[in-house]
Amino acid sequence: MMLQFTIPISPVPKGRPRLGRYGTYTPPKTKKFEDDVKFFLKSILTNHEPLETPLEVFLYFRLPIPKSYSKKRTEACLSGLERPKNADLDNYAKAVLDAFNGIVYKDDCQIVELHLTKVYHSQEGIDCLIKET
């Protein structure tokens, strides 16, 4: 079994849990991103039961180019000469993989191989490929 799809949502790295008056909570920006991804997945994966086997996951994060960049620097981003350095790649993955829990697969502990890439792109989003191993 193999699933391949594109999430047309700008990637957001997983924020650190915050400590509040009543315990820890996920930052609102992370929570909204994960909820948006879950909503999108439920709309495209109708009649899909969560996978239960070991999985290999490929995630390709297409990040927006900052508006403050000059034309020359924007061209460097689009040609691949400049790569994003804003947030840790694993934090982008954590947010997406947590959103996949219970929808794409039962639990993210099933992932035995993970391939990650982040680039600047004119159309932000996340390209996903999930394969059973």
Side-chain angles (χ1 to χ4, degrees):
M1 174 71 151
M2 184 172 79
L3 293 172
Q4 186 171 5
F5 51 87
T6 296
I7 301 170
I9 300 169
S10 186
V12 172
K14 180 110 179 173
R16 295 191 185 278
R18 303 289 183 213
L19 183 60
R21 181 176 290 170
Y22 304 106
T24 60
Y25 66 94
T26 301
K29 187 174 180 180
T30 300
K31 177 88 170 100
K32 181 182 180 336
F33 172 74
E34 289 177 359
D35 289 345
D36 290 348
V37 170
K38 287 178 186 181
F39 181 78
F40 174 77
L41 291 172
K42 288 177 183 176
S43 72
I44 64 164
L45 298 176
T46 56
N47 301 323
H48 170 76
E49 289 296 317
L51 301 170
E52 297 185 35
T53 58
L55 302 170
E56 182 176 11
V57 177
F58 296 81
L59 298 174
Y60 189 81
F61 297 96
R62 293 179 282 118
L63 304 175
I65 300 167
K67 291 181 179 19
S68 62
Y69 280 13
S70 67
K71 188 174 181 178
K72 183 178 179 182
R73 196 165 177 194
T74 297
E75 288 172 6
C77 291
L78 291 174
S79 67
L81 295 174
E82 184 171 339
R83 302 289 291 266
K85 299 180 279 264
N86 56 342
D88 292 350
L89 183 57
D90 63 320
N91 289 334
Y92 283 105
K94 284 178 200 171
V96 172
L97 297 175
D98 286 349
F100 285 5
N101 272 338
I103 301 170
V104 176
Y105 43 72
K106 289 264 187 197
D107 190 70
D108 53 5
C109 69
Q110 296 167 238
I111 299 169
V112 295
E113 285 188 53
L114 184 59
H115 307 270
L116 306 172
T117 305
K118 70 177 178 177
V119 297
Y120 283 126
H121 201 278
S122 58
Q123 290 186 319
E124 63 239 35
I126 307 158
D127 300 320
C128 308
L129 175 67
I130 295 109
K131 297 190 319 187
E132 290 182 317
T133 59

